[in-house]
């Protein structure tokens, strides 16, 4: 909780911003998105009225991202900066300081109901002797589509505040995109409903799917913590293997942003076949199966369903 | 450490309210070796008080570990590396960081070998390179603090002036120039835990200079840089050629950015080059008013790096803008003419102060990092030369 309040305090300072006016310039509004999923949301809402820079690109891991001086330059020129919040972007505070940006820094998780971390179940608490450097809440809120709709609304509001002339466009774009999100939400729910309840426990590399679990009713187990930076200990892995056997997990998956070795080790020791790649915190490259948020959700649920069906 | 420092101000606000028994403490220490004498001094950076002096076999070059718990005193002419416990340690407790402060002490462990040269810490595995043997000794910092010896050795093909980097299960080590053994290495060879070579040599003629920044390691070559990173448990190494727009030259010394990912290298006698391997324009040359003496990055204020120039000025570089944004006169001129090891200033950053050694006047100059103005000098006997700073803020219980 200490860290969360500290971050919020920093944000309150850096959101004292000047408002960019589209009428003062024919230039598109300069928007910086912290990582690829937010970048996709921003492009859907902003369309051609914005010039988008995404810091952590496709297949990139925001947990361990190291911003560059060029990122600081992008940040310094931005009119709006879109971030997840909930301590997801560990690099943000130092990047904001280095860039001295005057832009609004908008936390898109504002208004969602944050889930508390479930570390203790996996032995990641301080008592395990290797306390990790993350906040009280799980930051991966975008893994629930209803939360994604909140992100989109927050983006539209931020764009309207910075560019009143484009507000109608942003709202219309957000509305159209939200309709697509609703359709995808229904699709994911239907897919989960088709999976027998006793087969809804699966394993991933790190705890990125808490909101997906909460929204759709699958159970995810993971050897690493909320952050990919927190490596699993041998005891964590042993406990997970036991849990996998006790809970009869149906499938195991690698993630596009994490080293597959740990998952492969667990697969080897439990006899569960690796069911494919899930996209957790980053989209795929343009020619991959998850180059947009909606494609990511489609890919993830179809990969899960196919692996469980084959198990 | 990085997270700990950035969280320090928030912690200070909240500590009293939430943890009545916890106190915020800041401690910084300087370790200073002499240019001519075989001694290392430990100095409280805040008070200037000398805490201890440690005799060595020969004049030492100092390297601090990433954690700051140890300082390695490399004695090329003494054929040994001594290790000092800084006495400052941090414990990361997720929502807060603890600091523990004890007396600095010379550890009862040393690493002997012919002509030790470079020390490189990568994730707590510290590689010591011995030029006179062409050997690498990998030590684990936690073991060293307990007085335990090196955990493994890697032998290169011949004695040479080299460097090595431990990377998980692998070691990157320089490949000597067989035809001209006295000249610089010609590349990097990767070996696994069994000592077997992995892949082909990564060609890098005239190799000299290495640094890490975040998850990247840069190694300077005649025509560009090797950029190494860990990928799926193995080193992945790419070549980044110098940009054609740069004048003739190369880097032979690199330092790695902290907080922002970049490298700063020398480039000719009167310039430095900012290197951002991820950017389209990866190289930005910054001309200096005179020849360069020493340069470092600011590990706390990510936007800044510092270069000391032979006109006696400390130059502050804004690495985002890519230019010198302030200069401060600190010493009389120090000419770069003469032998490389003659007494000349060195720079270190200790929290909110920049420290510059002035060996010919036997003082350490201190500069307020936020105002970039001089503050009190610290007197040190002899010729204070090589220095490192260790410290930070945390809670005490």
């Amino acid at each position: 909780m200490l860290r969360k309040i500290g971050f919020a305090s920093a944000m309150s300072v850096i959101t004292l911003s000047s408002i960019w006016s589209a009428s003062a310039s024919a230039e598109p509004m300069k928007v910086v998105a912290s990582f690829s999923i937010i970048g996709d949301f921003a492009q859907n809402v902003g369309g051609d009225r914005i010039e988008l820079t995404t810091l952590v690109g496709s297949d990139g891991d925001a947990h361990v991202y190291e911003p560059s001086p060029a990122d600081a330059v992008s940040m310094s020129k931005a009119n709006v900066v879109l971030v997840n919040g909930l301590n997801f972007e560990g690099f943000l505070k130092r990047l904001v300081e280095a860039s001295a940006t005057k832009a609004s820094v908008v936390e898109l998780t504002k208004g969602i109901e944050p889930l508390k971390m479930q570390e203790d179940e996996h032995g990641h608490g301080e008592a395990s002797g290797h306390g990790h450097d993350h906040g009280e809440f799980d930051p991966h809120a975008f893994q629930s589509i209803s939360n994604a709709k909140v992100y989109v609304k927050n983006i539209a509001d931020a764009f309207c505040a910075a560019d009143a002339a484009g507000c109608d466009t942003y709202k219309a774009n957000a509305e159209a995109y939200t309709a697509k999100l609703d359709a995808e939400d229904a699709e994911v729910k239907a897919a989960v409903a088709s999976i027998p309840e006793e087969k809804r426990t699966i394993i991933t590399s790190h705890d990125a799917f808490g909101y997906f679990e909460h929204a759709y009713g699958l159970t995810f187990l993971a050897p690493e913590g909320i952050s990919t930076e927190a490596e699993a200990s041998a005891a964590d892995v042993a406990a997970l293997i036991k849990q996998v056997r006790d809970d009869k997990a149906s499938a195991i998956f690698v993630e596009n942003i994490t080293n597959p070795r740990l998952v492969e080790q667990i697969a080897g020791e439990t006899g569960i076949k690796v069911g494919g790649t899930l996209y957790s915190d980053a989209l795929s490259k343009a020619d991959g199966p998850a180059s947009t948020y909606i494609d990511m959700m489609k890919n993830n649920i179809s990969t899960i369903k196919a692996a469980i069906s084959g198990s | 450490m990085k997270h700990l420092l950035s969280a320090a101000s928030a912690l200070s606000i909240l500590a009293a309210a939430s943890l009545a028994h916890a106190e915020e403490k800041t401690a910084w220490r300087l370790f200073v070796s002499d240019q001519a004498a075989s001694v290392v001094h430990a100095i409280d950076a805040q008070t200037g008080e000398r805490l201890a002096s440690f005799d060595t076999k020969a004049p030492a070059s100092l390297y601090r570990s990433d954690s700051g718990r140890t300082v390695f005193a490399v004695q090329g002419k003494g054929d040994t590396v001594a290790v000092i416990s800084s006495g400052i340690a941090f414990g990361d407790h997720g929502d807060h960081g603890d600091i523990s402060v004890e007396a600095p002490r010379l550890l009862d462990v040393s690493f002997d070998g012919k002509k030790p040269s470079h020390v490189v810490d990568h994730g707590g595995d510290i590689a010591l390179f011995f030029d006179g043997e062409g050997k690498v000794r990998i030590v684990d910092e936690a073991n060293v603090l307990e007085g335990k010896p090196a955990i493994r050795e890697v032998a290169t093909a011949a004695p040479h002036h080299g460097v090595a980097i431990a990377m998980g299960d692998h070691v990157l080590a320089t490949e000597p120039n067989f035809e001209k053994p006295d000249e610089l290495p010609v590349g990097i060879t990767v070996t696994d835990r069994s000592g077997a070579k992995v892949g082909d040599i990564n060609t890098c003629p005239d190799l000299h200079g290495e640094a890490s920044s975040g998850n990247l390691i840069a190694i300077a070559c005649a025509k560009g840089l090797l950029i190494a990173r860990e990928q799926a448990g193995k080193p992945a190494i790419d070549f980044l050629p110098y940009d054609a727009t740069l004048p003739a030259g190369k880097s032979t010394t690199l330092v790695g950015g902290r907080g922002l990912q970049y490298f700063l290298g020398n480039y000719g006698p009167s310039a430095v080059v900012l290197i951002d391997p991820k950017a389209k324009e990866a190289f930005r040359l910054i001309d200096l008013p005179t020849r360069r003496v020493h340069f470092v990055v600011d590990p706390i204020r990510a936007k800044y790096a510092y270069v000391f120039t032979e006109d006696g000025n400390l130059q502050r570089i804004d690495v985002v803008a890519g230019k010198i944004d302030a200069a401060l006169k600190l010493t009389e001129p120090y000419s770069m003419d003469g032998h490389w090891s003659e007494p000349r200033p060195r720079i270190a950053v200790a929290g909110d102060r920049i420290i510059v050694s002035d060996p010919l006047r036997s003082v350490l100059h201190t500069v307020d990092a936020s105002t970039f103005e001089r503050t009190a000098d610290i007197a040190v006997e002899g010729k204070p030369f090589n220095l490192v700073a260790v410290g930070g803020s945390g809670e005490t219980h």
Side-chain angles (χ1 to χ4, degrees), chain B residues 90-212:
Chain B
F90 296 94
D92 182 1
H93 292 268
D95 62 354
H96 71 277
D98 287 349
I99 184 171
S100 124
V101 181
E102 299 172 348
R105 63 193 169 92
L106 188 64
L107 293 172
D108 189 20
V109 60
S110 61
F111 300 94
D112 297 336
K114 288 182 187 170
K115 291 188 187 172
S117 57
H118 294 119
V119 174
V120 177
D121 183 354
H122 191 72
D125 284 339
I126 300 170
L128 315 177
F129 197 90
F130 293 81
D131 289 357
E133 302 170 356
K135 269 189 185 170
V136 187
R137 294 185 173 88
I138 312 287
V139 306
D140 172 87
E141 183 174 45
N143 285 345
V144 170
L145 284 161
E146 294 176 10
K148 293 178 183 170
I151 51 176
R152 58 182 161 138
E153 280 190 6
V154 174
T156 64
H160 67 286
H161 182 48
V163 68
I165 304 130
M167 189 184 274
D169 287 338
H170 299 83
V171 174
L172 281 57
T174 44
E175 179 81 0
N177 184 335
F178 287 107
E179 292 171 10
K180 298 174 183 173
D182 292 338
E183 295 196 356
L184 292 171
V186 296
I188 289 287
T189 300
V190 180
T191 55
D192 65 17
R193 284 242 173 225
S194 71
K197 287 186 181 175
V198 178
D200 297 330
I201 181 174
N202 298 274
T203 303
C204 179
D206 291 343
L207 187 160
H208 195 276
E210 171 279 342
S212 64

Side-chain angles (χ1 to χ4, degrees), chain A residues 1-3 5-6 65-70 72-73 93-95 98 126 131-134 229 259 261, chain B residues 2-3 6-7 10 14 18 92-96 214 232-233 259-262 276 278 284 303 319-320:
Chain A
M1 192 58 191
L2 289 175
R3 287 184 59 81
I5 293 170
Y65 184 70
E66 293 287 342
S68 69
V73 171
K93 185 171 180 289
R94 62 184 191 267
L95 184 56
E126 245 180 63
H132 300 145
D133 192 12
H134 43 58
E229 197 173 19
N259 186 339
R261 194 166 50 176
Chain B
K2 216 159 27 192
H3 297 295
S6 63
L14 293 159
S18 59
D92 182 1
H93 292 268
D95 62 354
H96 71 277
L260 292 178
Q261 189 169 57
Y262 70 97
D276 177 355
K278 291 186 295 190
R284 284 187 287 172
K303 186 178 181 179
V319 301
V320 177

Side-chain angles (χ1 to χ4, degrees), chain B residues 19-361:
Chain B
L19 293 166
H21 62 290
E23 286 183 15
E24 177 82 1
K25 185 179 178 70
T26 297
W28 281 93
R29 284 177 180 165
L30 302 172
F31 291 85
V32 187
S33 63
D34 195 276
Q35 189 267 342
S38 302
V39 66
V40 177
H41 303 292
I43 294 168
D44 185 316
Q46 290 156 308
T47 65
E49 178 194 359
R50 189 173 70 179
L51 302 171
S53 292
F54 305 108
D55 291 334
T56 54
K57 282 188 182 173
S61 297
L62 301 179
Y63 295 79
R64 53 155 287 177
S65 66
D66 287 348
S67 76
R69 295 189 70 189
T70 51
V71 174
F72 288 74
V74 177
Q75 300 153 63
K77 291 182 179 170
D79 289 339
T80 190
V81 179
V83 192
I84 298 165
S85 166
S86 71
I88 297 178
F90 296 94
D92 182 1
H93 292 268
D95 62 354
H96 71 277
D98 287 349
I99 184 171
S100 124
V101 181
E102 299 172 348
R105 63 193 169 92
L106 188 64
L107 293 172
D108 189 20
V109 60
S110 61
F111 300 94
D112 297 336
K114 288 182 187 170
K115 291 188 187 172
S117 57
H118 294 119
V119 174
V120 177
D121 183 354
H122 191 72
D125 284 339
I126 300 170
L128 315 177
F129 197 90
F130 293 81
D131 289 357
E133 302 170 356
K135 269 189 185 170
V136 187
R137 294 185 173 88
I138 312 287
V139 306
D140 172 87
E141 183 174 45
N143 285 345
V144 170
L145 284 161
E146 294 176 10
K148 293 178 183 170
I151 51 176
R152 58 182 161 138
E153 280 190 6
V154 174
T156 64
H160 67 286
H161 182 48
V163 68
I165 304 130
M167 189 184 274
D169 287 338
H170 299 83
V171 174
L172 281 57
T174 44
E175 179 81 0
N177 184 335
F178 287 107
E179 292 171 10
K180 298 174 183 173
D182 292 338
E183 295 196 356
L184 292 171
V186 296
I188 289 287
T189 300
V190 180
T191 55
D192 65 17
R193 284 242 173 225
S194 71
K197 287 186 181 175
V198 178
D200 297 330
I201 181 174
N202 298 274
T203 303
C204 179
D206 291 343
L207 187 160
H208 195 276
E210 171 279 342
S212 64
S213 179
N215 61 348
L216 295 183
I217 290 169
I219 297 160
C221 321
K223 302 291 184 188
L225 305 162
L226 292 178
I227 304 294
R229 75 195 81 201
E230 199 164 352
Q231 205 164 60
K234 291 179 184 171
I237 303 176
D238 299 308
F239 183 67
L240 176 68
Y242 287 129
D243 194 284
T245 59
L246 287 173
K250 63 170 185 166
S251 288
T252 56
T253 302
L254 297 170
V255 289
R258 298 282 297 273
L260 292 178
Q261 189 169 57
Y262 70 97
F263 298 94
L264 184 64
N266 61 332
Y267 201 89
S270 305
V272 287
V273 64
L274 281 166
I275 304 156
D276 177 355
K278 291 186 295 190
K280 270 187 184 171
E281 294 174 3
F283 299 94
R284 284 187 287 172
L285 194 70
I286 301 171
D287 288 319
L288 301 169
T290 65
R291 286 184 291 185
R292 176 200 61 255
V293 177
H294 190 231
F295 58 104
V296 300
V297 302
D298 190 323
I300 297 156
R301 289 153 291 273
K303 186 178 181 179
Y304 295 120
Y306 308 103
V307 183
F308 195 84
T309 44
E310 62 178 356
D311 55 4
N313 280 304
L314 182 67
Q315 316 281 347
R316 186 172 72 182
I317 291 183
D318 178 334
V319 301
V320 177
K323 63 181 185 184
I324 295 170
D325 83 337
L328 179 65
K329 177 81 171 168
L330 285 178
T331 73
E332 294 301 308
Y334 273 88
S335 173
M336 287 301 287
D337 292 339
H339 196 270
W340 67 268
S341 64
E342 284 183 4
R344 297 186 186 94
R346 296 287 183 269
I347 316 164
V349 180
D352 57 8
R353 290 207 286 182
I354 309 157
I355 316 292
V356 177
S357 64
D358 190 348
L360 296 182
R361 288 194 53 221

